[in-house]
Amino acid sequence: MFTIKTFSNLPTPHNILIFNKLFLLLMIGIFFISPLYLQAQCVVQPTTLLGSTSFDGDDFIGQTFTSCANGEIVRVRLTGGGFSCCLSQAGTYELYIAEEPGEGNSIPTNAVATLVFPVELTSGQQIEFDLSIPFPVKNDGTIYRFVVDNLDGDTNAMGATSSSLSNYPGGNFVSSTHSYNSNGDLDFTVTVQPYPPTVPTLSQWGLIVLCLFFMICGVLALIQKESVLKKEN
């Protein structure tokens, strides 16, 4: 005897509609329950470069600053400069960041980012470091310092654009002697990725359990609907 299979178990338009509603409900639940990881980045920088000028070449250059959020530094940018004798030279540029140890003191030379420029930089060229090792910072008044060093250049290896007037209240330009220049600041930006807010969230296992719960609810709803239709027929 041959068994004729029917297609009664195929999804009906009504079942598809139920699945669509459950999927939408699941997405809404995940959106509101999941942690808000996509926080807007904030940027530390001088408000304006008053009397913009070019800084003479030096062994390395730095700037002290305060953070705009509790989070991690992900990018540091400064503008190359210098006079015709002292443009930023070709070479390997390393970026160092640490809490400010005080004027006259150096910071550890543990590179958090590296750039290689095969040719001499032009005046005004952007030097942008994307940190391979994000540096944690706090928005509590702590002062930090970043330093950029050209490992392959001579004593005039670094030039940068700075302001002729100090207009950034959160820090100071730092020369290769680790002294502050109170008459100007670097043309720089420090990009900080804030930490996620400390709100109640579900763990990954919690989200998996939530998904299974919605799936079970969906299956039960379909079974109940099929049962009602059979009774009506």
Side-chain angles (χ1 to χ4, degrees):
M1 179 180 295
F2 295 98
T3 301
I4 300 176
K5 295 183 178 180
T6 65
F7 295 92
S8 60
N9 292 328
L10 290 178
T12 64
H14 181 77
N15 292 346
I16 294 175
L17 181 60
I18 292 177
F19 271 119
N20 289 340
K21 290 182 178 179
L22 289 173
F23 180 77
L24 179 61
L25 183 62
L26 175 62
M27 292 298 100
I28 293 175
I30 292 176
F31 176 80
F32 284 105
I33 298 174
S34 298
L36 303 176
Y37 287 111
L38 299 178
Q39 297 296 302
Q41 296 177 338
C42 64
V43 178
V44 178
Q45 64 181 2
T47 54
T48 180
L49 286 178
L50 300 176
S52 179
T53 185
S54 291
F55 174 69
D56 214 352
D58 209 338
D59 290 342
F60 56 82
I61 53 177
Q63 173 79 35
T64 60
F65 63 96
T66 54
S67 178
C68 54
N70 294 324
E72 295 178 332
I73 297 174
V74 296
R75 183 176 299 110
V76 174
R77 178 206 60 81
L78 66 155
T79 303
F83 300 103
S84 58
C85 68
C86 308
L87 289 170
S88 296
Q89 300 172 4
T92 301
Y93 286 66
E94 287 191 342
L95 172 70
Y96 316 126
I97 304 177
E99 286 193 22
E100 174 57 21
E103 186 173 11
N105 298 306
S106 62
I107 65 173
T109 54
N110 300 320
V112 294
T114 303
L115 288 176
V116 177
F117 291 99
V119 296
E120 182 179 80
L121 278 67
T122 59
S123 181
Q125 183 172 342
Q126 299 298 295
I127 305 174
E128 186 169 282
F129 293 92
D130 288 316
L131 274 65
S132 56
I133 307 173
F135 186 86
V137 288
K138 297 179 180 180
N139 184 20
D140 60 359
T142 301
I143 300 176
Y144 302 91
R145 183 198 299 184
F146 73 79
V147 169
V148 178
D149 189 11
N150 184 351
L151 302 181
D152 304 320
D154 56 28
T155 55
N156 292 322
M158 287 296 306
T161 299
S162 63
S163 62
S164 57
L165 298 173
S166 181
N167 67 323
Y168 172 61
N172 296 280
F173 173 70
V174 183
S175 70
S176 61
T177 59
H178 313 295
S179 59
Y180 296 159
N181 183 350
S182 59
N183 296 321
D185 294 292
L186 287 181
D187 176 13
F188 78 98
T189 58
V190 174
T191 303
V192 179
Q193 177 64 58
Y195 290 130
T198 54
V199 296
T201 60
L202 284 179
S203 65
Q204 291 180 345
W205 280 109
L207 289 175
I208 292 174
V209 172
L210 180 64
C211 292
L212 291 174
F213 173 76
F214 280 121
M215 290 176 62
I216 293 172
C217 290
V219 172
L220 292 177
L222 292 175
I223 293 175
Q224 183 179 13
K225 182 62 179 180
E226 292 292 338
S227 177
V228 170
L229 290 177
K230 288 181 179 179
K231 290 180 179 179
E232 291 177 351
N233 295 330

